[in-house]
Amino acid sequence: MADSLQDPLIHDKQNGDEEISCNLQEGDESGSVVCSRYLGRRIANESKKIWAIAGPAIFSRMALYGTSIVSQAFVGHLGELELAAFAIATTVIVGFNFGLFLGMASALETICGQAFGVRQYHLLGLYMQRAWIVLFGVAILLLPMYIFATPILKILGQSDEIAELTGKLSIWLIPLHFAYVFYFPAQRFFQTQLKNMVIAWISAASFVLHVFLSWLFIFKLEMGLIGSAITLNLAWWMPTFGLILYATCGVCPRTWTGLSRDAFSDLWAFFKLSAASGVMLCLESWYYRILVLLTGNLPDSKVAIDSLSICMSINGFEMMIPLGFFAATGVRVANELGAGNGKGAKFAVIVSAITSTMIGLVFCLLIILLRGEFPLIFTSSTIIIDAVSKLSLLLGFTVLLNSIQPVLSGVAVGSGWQSYVAYINIGCYYVIGVPFGVMLCWMFKLGVLGIWTGMICGTAVQTIVLAFIVYRCDWDKAVNAKSQFHCLAAEAMDRVNKWSPEDSS
């Protein structure tokens, strides 16, 4: 037994994870040193597990999001109107659906992660198929946003020339809309079984090809905005086909057992969980899309939208790092809870949150120090460069806050709290942030600075509330009992049993 050992450390190895507790006498300095070493080793081990998921996830997300950055950089040199139309189309129209699909697919992190934790490997492929069916139905319902983008944007206060050009571009981006349906579930399928390098390499190849195709279609063939839409469609469909082919060609025999009619069963139950995940994440994604829409109602909207879209692109690109930790936290928490290890889930959250926050702080400082240089990537207009420089301080604070919040949302995804977090997001973002930003903009005449400041306040409140909930979570109780705010291993098993086909039980 461990208590018979003379070593002051007790090692409780459960499911491959080392739980450490120190039995030290007061003033026992040598024991304290030993405890510190083991704690350091445990942090290093957990960091390896997190980075094994987060590293490839960050790389692949940056590569795919980088396709929009590359396209925007090319389009930005076509003119201010083209840049504004591209910003509205990709940030508002496509971005609206991106957030919803990304969130709905995140439901797979809960159920696939927990199924993987209890070694029900065959269910991962079945869940991915259900996600494809549900997301495809949602994609059909959302098509009018692309088809009627011009009248929608005019109703929302955008100028006629921006709305009409954005509407033309949106039609060409419909294939991108359907790429999300298949890509995000396939990404989660590989991610929850820790096959992350597959995603990374396929995304990298797609990004390199996209840079060449953007130059070819936009400049060499002089296809302008339409060329940017074609290259974006190709940039997302290439990795989508790559992941699907890799999954279905015998490389994943335990997790992909072929197409199944069972994928059509319990679709409503899956839809409810994925809808909760979608609402939770898309409320966050839509939040800053609203910032762009509100900016379009200001005087000199082209300059305002152009400068803000550059800031949002930088924020979105850096956001791929905390979103990588969002994915890693969700998988680690789901795996640990599925295995009945509450302490392991808590420790994963702590390590992931600290790591992501430190990275966010570094980027915050870099943005503030390089505020006059990074706009040159997107434009040569001195007016827009000056406008971006004025917004850089707010951008830095946004980056810092967004480095913490996704990790806390990752806890929610891994634990199954999505519906609760959705309510928190509505209150913090749309009851506090947006009204406060509108008030600062129009009542106090602060313009886009006022809108953004108010919305940062909403993000800050939401981060504090989520941090408090995670802090108060009783992780030991979480694996044994049901509670309103507790993530449950028992619930994990219930989900697996509920959604398992009868012949596989």
Side-chain angles (χ1 to χ4, degrees):
M1 296 293 293
D3 56 4
S4 66
L5 299 176
Q6 298 300 316
D7 195 329
L9 299 178
I10 296 176
H11 305 282
D12 177 19
K13 294 185 179 179
Q14 181 179 9
N15 301 309
D17 287 313
E18 187 177 18
E19 295 292 338
I20 303 171
S21 61
C22 297
N23 298 327
L24 300 176
Q25 299 295 327
E26 187 175 351
D28 187 352
E29 295 181 1
S30 62
S32 179
V33 171
V34 174
C35 267
S36 297
R37 289 177 178 174
Y38 273 98
L39 179 60
R41 183 182 302 174
R42 189 179 175 203
I43 292 173
N45 288 338
E46 183 60 43
S47 294
K48 288 180 182 178
K49 294 177 182 179
I50 289 173
W51 276 107
I53 304 168
I58 291 169
F59 182 83
S60 59
R61 288 170 188 265
M62 280 189 161
L64 282 176
Y65 190 87
T67 58
S68 295
I69 300 292
V70 168
S71 295
Q72 185 175 15
F74 278 106
V75 170
H77 294 280
L78 295 177
E80 293 180 2
L81 177 61
E82 288 81 1
L83 180 58
F86 183 87
I88 294 290
T90 57
T91 304
V92 178
I93 305 299
V94 175
F96 180 95
N97 299 287
F98 176 92
L100 182 61
F101 289 137
L102 180 63
M104 293 187 72
S106 294
L108 292 178
E109 291 178 14
T110 302
I111 57 176
C112 286
Q114 292 171 350
F116 193 83
V118 295
R119 302 187 179 185
Q120 297 285 333
Y121 302 120
H122 62 285
L123 295 178
L124 271 69
L126 180 67
Y127 293 159
M128 179 172 66
Q129 293 174 56
R130 286 182 185 165
W132 284 342
I133 296 168
V134 170
L135 266 65
F136 186 82
V138 174
I140 295 295
L141 295 176
L142 292 174
L143 268 182
M145 285 192 62
Y146 291 82
I147 298 171
F148 302 106
T150 296
I152 290 172
L153 291 172
K154 287 181 179 180
I155 292 172
L156 293 174
Q158 305 302 306
S159 66
D160 289 347
E161 58 178 352
I162 292 178
E164 289 172 5
L165 189 57
T166 302
K168 293 178 182 178
L169 179 61
S170 297
I171 296 295
W172 283 88
L173 290 173
I174 289 177
L176 174 62
H177 173 69
F178 283 97
Y180 295 154
V181 170
F182 299 97
Y183 177 80
F184 288 133
Q187 182 193 51
R188 297 310 190 277
F189 171 80
F190 285 105
Q191 190 171 276
T192 50
Q193 54 187 307
L194 307 182
K195 295 180 181 292
N196 302 290
M197 291 308 299
V198 177
I199 306 171
W201 285 115
I202 291 176
S203 300
S206 176
F207 176 78
V208 172
L209 186 58
H210 176 73
V211 174
F212 169 73
L213 291 178
S214 295
W215 169 82
L216 177 64
F217 280 80
I218 297 173
F219 283 161
K220 190 68 175 178
L221 300 179
E222 298 182 350
M223 296 182 67
L225 277 179
I226 303 305
S228 70
I230 294 173
T231 57
L232 276 178
N233 292 331
L234 292 173
W236 278 87
W237 272 108
M238 285 186 291
T240 299
F241 278 125
L243 290 181
I244 293 174
L245 287 174
Y246 193 86
T248 57
C249 290
V251 182
C252 307
R254 292 193 302 174
T255 53
W256 176 264
T257 56
L259 296 173
S260 173
R261 287 179 294 181
D262 290 318
F264 289 91
S265 63
D266 293 316
L267 289 179
W268 179 245
F270 184 85
F271 173 79
K272 288 191 292 184
L273 179 64
S274 63
S277 296
V279 171
M280 183 196 80
L281 196 61
C282 71
L283 285 174
E284 300 170 9
S285 176
W286 296 344
Y287 190 48
Y288 287 99
R289 318 292 177 187
I290 291 174
L291 176 57
V292 177
L293 277 176
L294 292 175
T295 302
N297 291 278
L298 296 174
D300 198 8
S301 59
K302 281 193 292 186
V303 172
I305 291 175
D306 288 348
S307 59
L308 185 61
S309 69
I310 290 173
C311 290
M312 289 296 99
S313 294
I314 297 296
N315 177 61
F317 187 68
E318 193 280 334
M319 187 73 172
M320 298 302 106
I321 297 176
L323 281 178
F325 284 98
F326 162 84
T329 306
V331 172
R332 289 290 300 130
V333 169
N335 288 166
E336 294 296 340
L337 292 181
N341 186 8
K343 289 182 179 179
K346 177 181 179 180
F347 193 73
V349 172
I350 294 171
V351 174
S352 185
I354 292 174
T355 305
S356 182
T357 302
M358 291 175 63
I359 294 173
L361 181 60
V362 171
F363 275 93
C364 173
L365 295 174
L366 285 175
I367 286 169
I368 294 172
L369 292 174
L370 300 176
R371 59 185 178 274
E373 283 74 29
F374 72 81
L376 293 171
I377 300 172
F378 301 92
T379 182
S380 55
S381 171
T382 55
I383 297 175
I384 296 176
I385 291 173
D386 290 341
V388 172
S389 298
K390 292 177 182 178
L391 295 173
S392 61
L393 184 61
L394 290 177
L395 175 60
F397 280 118
T398 302
V399 165
L400 181 58
L401 277 176
N402 286 342
S403 67
I404 306 169
Q405 183 273 332
V407 175
L408 302 178
S409 294
V411 180
V413 168
S415 309
W417 301 347
Q418 290 95 327
S419 59
Y420 299 115
V421 178
Y423 290 121
I424 293 169
N425 288 351
I426 290 173
C428 296
Y429 287 158
Y430 301 99
V431 177
I432 297 174
V434 173
F436 189 41
V438 170
M439 182 181 68
L440 291 176
C441 174
W442 277 278
M443 291 182 63
F444 291 87
K445 309 297 182 183
L446 295 178
V448 68
L449 289 172
I451 300 175
W452 201 347
T453 300
M455 299 180 83
I456 286 177
C457 291
T459 303
V461 173
Q462 184 243 21
T463 302
I464 293 170
V465 172
L466 285 180
F468 178 77
I469 293 175
V470 172
Y471 174 75
R472 290 297 300 272
C473 180
D474 186 339
W475 295 95
D476 290 326
K477 187 178 179 181
V479 297
N480 296 311
K482 293 185 178 181
S483 180
Q484 184 178 12
F485 286 114
H486 289 137
C487 34
L488 309 168
E491 270 186 25
M493 285 301 300
D494 288 344
R495 288 193 187 101
V496 170
N497 292 332
K498 178 180 178 181
W499 289 334
S500 299
E502 293 181 0
D503 59 354
S504 65
S505 56

